[in-house]
Amino acid sequence: MISALTTNVSQFFREAQHFDMLCDALLPTFRERIRTGQRIRIWSAGCSNGQEPYSVAMHLLSLEPSLADADFRILATDIDPNVIAFAQQGKYAPAQLKGVPKSHLHGFTMAHPDDGGDRVMSERLKTVVSFRELNLFDDWPMQFPFDAIFCRNVVIYFDQPTQERLWPRFSTRIRPGGLLFLGHSERIAEPGAHGFRSCGPTAYTKTAPSHFNSR
């Protein structure tokens, strides 16, 4: 029933400016964390078929390959168990790979042996991306803060009161200075009320203290 009722539309490197903003804002911090052995965590909330978290992983690893050997993970969650199973396989048809730069296709994917043009995400990507089934309105089991949360083109399907329930929950899960990315048609009406500051198109910086240990 969940699979029938949910909308799963995604593509690689959708709203590409967000990936550049993530790296411009946080890569210097990530490099320092790599040096000191600290945790780096990103959450793709409503990950659909997996294109978003794999895009984040490709973009970051292409700019900082040492992340692959660091304490770096991307949590990718969705309410639909079918799309989680699809994303875990990491196998995509040529039409689904539109938007992936050729350098990334060669560096982060492999041809599938069925010879149908499908490609599979490399083990290097699969190692840093973990897929889990999660309803955004259930309890969240994660016990650590995130450096960035992508929740794009998800809340557009919720009414305003439901959206307002999510903003403070996201706020408590992001480190100060961390980022929240929404879809191109989504906005936080009063970001300051939830500890955020707008820092670009549908992007917000966390300004308030986190409820979690900063490590």
Side-chain angles (χ1 to χ4, degrees), residues 47 75-80 84 88 129-134:
C47 66
L75 173 65
T77 66
D78 201 280
I79 193 174
D80 186 343
I84 290 296
Q88 285 174 325
V129 181
S130 298
F131 291 95
R132 299 287 185 271
E133 187 179 339
L134 181 70

Side-chain angles (χ1 to χ4, degrees), residues 111-184:
H112 192 270
D114 65 8
D115 200 31
D118 294 354
R119 298 190 71 85
V120 181
M121 298 295 109
S122 69
E123 287 304 313
R124 184 159 60 129
L125 287 187
K126 289 184 177 182
T127 297
V128 302
V129 181
S130 298
F131 291 95
R132 299 287 185 271
E133 187 179 339
L134 181 70
N135 185 329
L136 286 177
F137 297 100
D138 286 345
D139 291 335
W140 296 349
M142 303 83 79
Q143 298 299 315
F144 47 79
F146 292 95
D147 296 285
I149 296 176
F150 287 76
C151 187
R152 305 186 304 170
N153 308 297
V154 175
V155 302
I156 192 173
Y157 299 105
F158 304 151
D159 60 22
Q160 189 70 24
T162 305
Q163 293 181 20
E164 292 295 327
R165 288 169 53 198
L166 275 178
W167 308 142
R169 298 189 72 191
F170 282 142
S171 182
T172 63
R173 300 298 174 124
I174 301 178
R175 294 176 184 267
L179 299 171
L180 172 66
F181 295 105
L182 304 181
H184 69 279

